[in-house]
């Protein structure tokens, strides 16, 4: 017998609406039409204007024959068109594929072909790369140039310029929410440190919920002023672009991650929130402009991609930036775990506090679960701070799957958990602590060495700016650690000094056997490219 | 052809989890186990304890044969067991039916029978009413007495006492999230000013989303201390009980709405948020304790059920309470609209500010839409502040339907909108302003008179505490307004004075023809019972 609670109680148009971040844009335009949605240098675009521009953009895409499940790619830095694309493409029913602007033509060509992009917007700075990527493409996409005045060039590639494309559209375009909140919203390729990148598909439900999740976890109040330092091509700026729309806040755009520009934006626009890898905050701390910078207010500085060292937390605090550590992957829409602060941490000294805060922590409020499990048995590891397992997620901000890659999708979801590939322990307080990516663990004489632990120690040396440690083949031990070291401006340090410093804090077998001094290669999002370091280490003798 | 975006991209256990407020309890117990979940006088129950108690409670219900879609009723004030029931009943898969403690035996009997309650928890204060309600019931529910020590009586009714029931349960009970987020979560009967009340069914999805909605709209930061003044039997305390769980905050319980107790709770527990009808704040403002009350911090005072008058906004401010006006119905899980503040309102004088704030406003962030439409054509009314229409909602915090009442459900959802029954206009700024409940409009000589407008004016008289205006039959005009007036303590006023005062602010035909002085009958949630006033007015000569 069907229960009365399920009789004539079906979803209908009044009581069930697809969860989609598009709702946030419509509402901000309705309730706070005159407030600034986007600031870019001297340019201000209100919420009413942004909504009208996005409707034009969406209708022009539809007029170009683009609709549901078509891919629209964008290759641009964090400029206004990039923010607009985060709504307009989905308003046309299409899927936004943001391209990493640091990639070469070959990688871009792969993504455009794999994603079957029907259109691509390109900032003129990246026309040369895109031009090369399109050579020989059997079904080239419609190209739309974005002529951002702050990048001067006579180069043109597209059939039409972005503002002309918008002008051709309808500011009153009657768009619809997706018919199903499970519909694809965005396509984000993983950085692919090895092999071809995987195309992570976001759905509307996840985009909506993770946008709200950011608000709740980061404690964002109404009308936040969010400085987009994290590239919007990286997990859609960790979904903050949609969080800002929910709270009728301001997206502060930034063409380049440059300390002077960041300090200026904080001062002039009253930035309340920003995001970035720890290296970004380090860069600010050590910038010449830092000395004369007077924080106009408190900025919440969300950080992820690596653990924030004590010096970063402290240095940022001096700049008025309160560091909040989050953890996640492209597959989890960015932030999915966070190091939820506990009241009694305030009594700790800086290093003890940093040690607590450096952990990956717990699942965010709207992410269902983040646990560490044995990858074979799927049993959770004990909370002993020692037993290694794999971080696994379950929740509504977990990708729909990998595009055209069922084997990888099935592997990632095997056993009913999303497997992150990150190896971690769980401390007694239930907080997850990453030891390493599984491929970054160094196995020396049968002992596991966490490259992160070694990096953490060497980082504390007064002359060291950043350290990356990788495995290096060794006849006797199998593998030994090799350290790549960047020094602070005006500082020097040598291998002997570091060896001596490390010996005070590390077991002997964990000490790097080799040291290389110089710049460390990173991805555009600040992640160290360890595969490149391993290649270098392999050629050292 | 199926798009690659929909190929091998199905929902699975890792990327799709039922939205349910139960997740918030589990997470608070995991991340902030030692923080206080419930405070009640000197009693403190931590999140770990609350979770363990709820698991005991749920497992004991299951052991009693109660499961999915079974109704569990509770008749209790805002005491700890009431908070726990908001999680434990759903953890057993069952549906929570909170009973209005002011109702008589007949009304309670109707709800228990209509909802087919399998169990009922009863605070001992309400045993006499429940006992009478159960007389002659063919399938009487399992009765569980709640022996709250703060209410002394030797009376017993139930087969078991609440704490013994919990003791019989399993603190490690392996409960499950609902198999479908559309499953019933709660059953809330409307106050039913006429005829039998309707049983509004909430689903888990709506409870989850409206809990988050409260956080976003009310700007709740981590660890709020929420004073439950709004009865938890009223739309589940406007869903704030679940919002508090999401942010690992504290539920401050209160047996009675009493100014001294409220001031004490604010002072001793550091209350940050509370809710209540405007009359509650009025009561605080005029309480003898107000004179010596020193606000320890800022309290956000959410108000709804009626528009807050200027004097209430100002008086509350003096008590450190910042009034936030929300609007909604049981069918919309409580708060669904809010009078979103605009920056330039700050420059207005108090009365102009109050006039802005008294409006019902706009849809909350996670509620999709709140519009005013012609009930026949469903066309939106122009934003002219004059054209009357019906407020309609669409969104994910709209009820599943009315229990065992398909005709009423179909009527409520006819045309794809939930019809509120409230008549309103839309001002030029897009804000909704209620003129009246359709049945409260007074039609005098063919002219519509908003009872709210007349009440607003009379309320400004220095001696007036509260006013309610209803229609009274009149031979000449059809209907004329009749005013019921409560004066402030120690103040007097007569009909002539009010007539003269009203004449300065109202058109002549809107002036009440009759005045009645004395207490105004209200529901337990502070809503004026106009049907009772109409009955009295009908007997005046």
């Amino acid at each position: 017998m069907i229960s009365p609670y399920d009789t004539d109680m079906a979803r209908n148009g009044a009581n069930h609406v697809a969860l989609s971040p598009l709702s946030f844009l419509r509402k901000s335009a309705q309730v706070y039409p005159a407030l600034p949605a986007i600031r870019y240098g001297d340019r201000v675009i209100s919420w009413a204007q942004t909504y009208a521009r996005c409707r034009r953009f969406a209708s022009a895409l539809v007029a170009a024959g683009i609709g549901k499940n078509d891919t629209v790619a964008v290759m641009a830095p964090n400029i206004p068109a990039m923010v607009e694309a985060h709504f307009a493409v989905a308003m046309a029913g299409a899927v936004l594929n943001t391209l990493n602007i640091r990639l070469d033509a070959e990688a871009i060509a792969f993504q455009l072909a794999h994603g079957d992009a029907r259109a691509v917007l390109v900032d003129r700075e990246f026309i040369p790369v895109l031009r090369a990527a399109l050579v020989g493409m059997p079904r080239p996409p419609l190209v739309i140039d974005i002529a951002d005045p702050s990048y001067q060039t006579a180069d043109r590639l597209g059939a039409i310029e972005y503002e002309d494309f918008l002008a051709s559209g309808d500011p009153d375009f009657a768009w619809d929410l997706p018919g199903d909140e499970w519909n694809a919203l965005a396509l984000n390729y993983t950085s692919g440190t090895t092999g071809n990148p995987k195309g992570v598909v976001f759905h509307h439900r996840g985009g909506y919920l993770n946008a709200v999740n950011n608000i709740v976890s980061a404690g964002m109040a109404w009308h936040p002023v969010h400085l987009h330092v994290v590239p919007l091509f990286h997990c859609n700026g960790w979904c903050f672009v949609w969080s800002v729309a929910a709270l009728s806040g301001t997206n502060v755009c930034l063409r380049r991650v440059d300390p002077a520009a960041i300090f200026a934006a904080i001062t002039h626009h009253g930035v309340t929130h920003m995001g970035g890898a720890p290296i970004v905050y380090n860069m600010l701390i050590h910038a010449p402009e830092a000395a004369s910078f007077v924080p106009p207010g408190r900025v919440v500085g969300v950080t992820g991609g690596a653990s924030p060292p004590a010096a970063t937390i402290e240095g940022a605090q001096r700049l008025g930036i309160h560091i909040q550590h989050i953890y996640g992957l492209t597959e989890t829409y960015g932030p999915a775990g966070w190091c939820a602060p506990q009241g009694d941490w305030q009594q700790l000294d800086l290093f003890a506090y940093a040690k607590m805060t450096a952990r990956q922590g717990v699942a965010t409020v709207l992410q269902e679960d983040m646990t560490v499990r044995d990858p074979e048995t799927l049993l959770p590891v004990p909370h002993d701070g020692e037993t290694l397992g794999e971080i696994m997620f379950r929740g509504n901000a977990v990708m729909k799957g990998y595009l055209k890659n069922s084997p990888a999708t099935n592997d990632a979801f095997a056993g009913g958990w999303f497997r992150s590939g990150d190896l971690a322990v769980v401390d007694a307080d239930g907080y997850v602590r990453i030891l390493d990516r599984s491929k970054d663990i160094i196995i020396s004489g049968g002992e596991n060495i966490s490259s992160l632990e070694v990096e953490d120690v060497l980082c504390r040396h007064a002359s060291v700016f950043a350290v990356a440690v990788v495995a290096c083949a060794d006849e006797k031990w199998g593998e030994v650690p090799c350290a790549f070291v960047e020094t602070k401006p005006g500082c020097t340090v040598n291998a002997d000094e570091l060896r001596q410093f490390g010996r005070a804090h590390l077991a002997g077998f964990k000490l790097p056997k080799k040291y290389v001094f110089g710049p460390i290669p990173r991805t555009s999002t600040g992640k160290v490219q360890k595969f490149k370091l391993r290649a270098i280490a392999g050629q050292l003798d």
Side-chain angles (χ1 to χ4, degrees), chain A:
Chain A
M1 202 194 78
I2 295 175
S3 161
Y5 283 114
D6 290 323
T7 307
D8 291 325
M9 294 275 183
R11 294 161 174 81
N12 62 51
N15 67 13
H16 188 274
V17 175
L19 300 175
S20 164
L22 298 181
S23 295
F24 300 142
L25 170 60
R26 186 180 62 79
K27 200 161 290 179
S28 281
Q30 181 202 332
V31 180
Y32 293 108
L35 290 190
I38 300 174
R39 286 190 186 274
Y40 181 49
D42 292 335
R43 194 170 166 204
V44 189
I45 312 176
S46 72
W47 279 107
Q49 290 167 331
T50 300
Y51 186 40
R53 287 170 60 83
C54 288
R55 288 168 97 173
R56 286 178 175 278
F57 187 171
S59 70
L61 288 171
V62 170
I66 289 166
K68 188 183 170 195
N69 283 334
D70 287 334
T71 303
V72 174
V74 185
M75 190 168 190
N78 288 352
I79 56 175
M82 187 68 155
V83 172
E84 290 162 352
H86 274 79
F87 298 93
V89 171
M91 285 162 83
V95 182
L96 178 69
N97 172 217
T98 52
L99 300 168
N100 185 328
I101 56 178
R102 310 296 163 82
L103 294 180
D104 58 20
E106 192 185 355
I108 294 292
F110 170 83
Q111 295 188 18
L112 292 176
H114 185 268
D116 199 15
R118 295 283 311 278
V120 56
L121 282 82
V122 61
D123 180 276
R124 290 176 302 178
E125 183 175 350
F126 308 100
I127 283 181
V129 177
L130 184 63
R131 182 181 285 121
L134 293 178
V135 169
M137 191 164 281
R139 289 173 300 169
L142 166 69
V143 176
I144 300 161
D145 291 349
I146 309 168
D148 176 11
S150 69
Y151 186 84
Q152 290 302 326
T153 172
D155 204 0
R156 289 287 182 281
L157 177 64
I160 189 167
E161 198 278 323
Y162 180 65
E163 292 296 334
D164 296 330
F165 190 66
L166 261 56
S168 77
D170 174 5
D172 298 315
F173 176 57
W175 60 281
D176 279 320
L177 284 173
D180 188 327
E181 63 196 35
W182 202 250
N183 284 2
L185 168 67
L187 171 65
N188 288 293
Y189 283 89
T190 58
S191 47
T193 43
T194 53
N196 274 330
K198 288 178 284 206
V200 175
V201 179
F202 287 7
H203 46 69
H204 282 256
R205 176 180 167 101
Y208 180 95
L209 292 172
N210 216 37
V212 174
N213 196 16
N214 283 338
I215 293 171
V216 175
S217 298
M220 294 172 88
W222 277 90
H223 313 306
V225 180
H226 188 88
L227 178 64
H228 286 289
V229 175
V230 174
L232 281 159
F233 62 73
H234 184 57
C235 310
N236 305 108
W238 298 350
C239 298
F240 275 99
V241 63
W242 297 314
S243 308
V244 169
L247 293 174
S248 308
T250 305
N251 295 281
V252 180
C253 288
L254 202 62
R255 191 169 178 91
R256 278 179 223 298
V257 177
D258 165 66
I262 292 175
F263 286 125
I266 292 175
T267 300
H268 297 133
H269 300 317
V271 168
T272 59
H273 292 78
M274 61 181 286
I279 189 78
V280 167
Y281 299 99
N282 266 355
M283 203 181 62
L284 291 180
I285 294 163
H286 296 291
E289 293 85 356
S292 60
F293 177 70
V294 180
R298 185 175 185 269
V299 176
V300 172
V302 179
T303 198
S307 292
T312 305
I313 293 172
E314 193 192 28
Q317 198 74 51
R318 280 197 311 271
L319 299 175
I321 301 171
H322 178 80
I323 293 290
Q324 197 173 77
H325 184 204
I326 54 106
Y327 163 70
L329 303 91
T330 301
E331 288 87 340
T332 63
Y333 295 67
W338 73 307
C339 195
Q342 300 283 344
D344 52 8
W345 294 357
Q346 294 302 328
Q347 297 147 22
L348 299 175
D349 66 43
L350 176 68
F351 279 99
Y353 175 82
K355 206 173 156 187
M356 292 308 229
T357 299
R359 299 178 302 168
Q360 283 59 42
V362 296
T364 48
V365 181
L366 278 76
Q367 184 70 293
E368 192 60 24
D369 222 341
M370 169 168 112
T371 61
V372 178
R373 289 170 184 256
D374 182 302
E376 300 297 324
T377 65
L378 281 176
L379 290 174
V381 301
H383 292 192
D384 59 6
E386 285 187 1
T387 311
L388 206 62
E390 182 176 357
I391 300 181
M392 301 192 187
F393 287 97
R394 218 161 55 86
N396 292 302
V398 170
M399 67 166 178
K400 194 168 172 174
Y402 296 117
L403 188 70
K404 299 180 191 167
N405 197 341
S406 303
T409 302
N410 293 338
D411 283 355
F413 290 142
W417 291 89
F418 167 69
R419 292 150 180 264
S420 71
D422 284 333
L423 299 184
V425 298
V426 181
D427 284 336
D429 60 359
Y431 278 51
V432 172
R433 177 158 51 90
I434 284 194
L435 288 190
D436 236 327
R437 295 283 308 178
S438 49
K439 61 181 173 297
D440 293 339
I441 285 274
I442 301 161
I443 304 172
S444 191
E447 297 279 356
N448 286 349
I449 302 173
S450 157
S451 63
L452 293 185
E453 183 189 0
V454 181
E455 289 162 8
D456 250 18
V457 165
L458 295 184
C459 244
R460 292 189 218 157
H461 188 283
S463 300
V464 171
F465 179 74
V467 180
V469 173
V470 298
C472 174
D474 183 90
E475 282 193 11
K476 182 169 178 192
W477 302 105
E479 293 179 348
V480 291
C482 170
F484 290 78
V485 180
E486 278 178 11
T487 52
K488 287 182 189 165
C491 295
T492 54
V493 66
N494 64 34
D496 274 349
E497 287 164 343
L498 285 179
R499 209 167 278 129
Q500 202 168 346
F501 183 81
R503 201 166 282 137
H505 304 91
L506 286 170
F509 74 97
K510 295 182 179 176
L511 287 176
K513 302 294 172 289
K514 292 171 184 172
Y515 293 83
V516 180
F517 295 88
I520 296 173
R522 290 189 176 82
T523 67
S524 54
T525 58
K527 275 193 187 170
V528 172
Q529 293 176 298
K530 288 203 169 174
F531 71 104
K532 289 193 180 169
L533 298 181
R534 273 189 284 269
I536 299 169
Q539 305 192 340
L540 300 171
D541 60 9

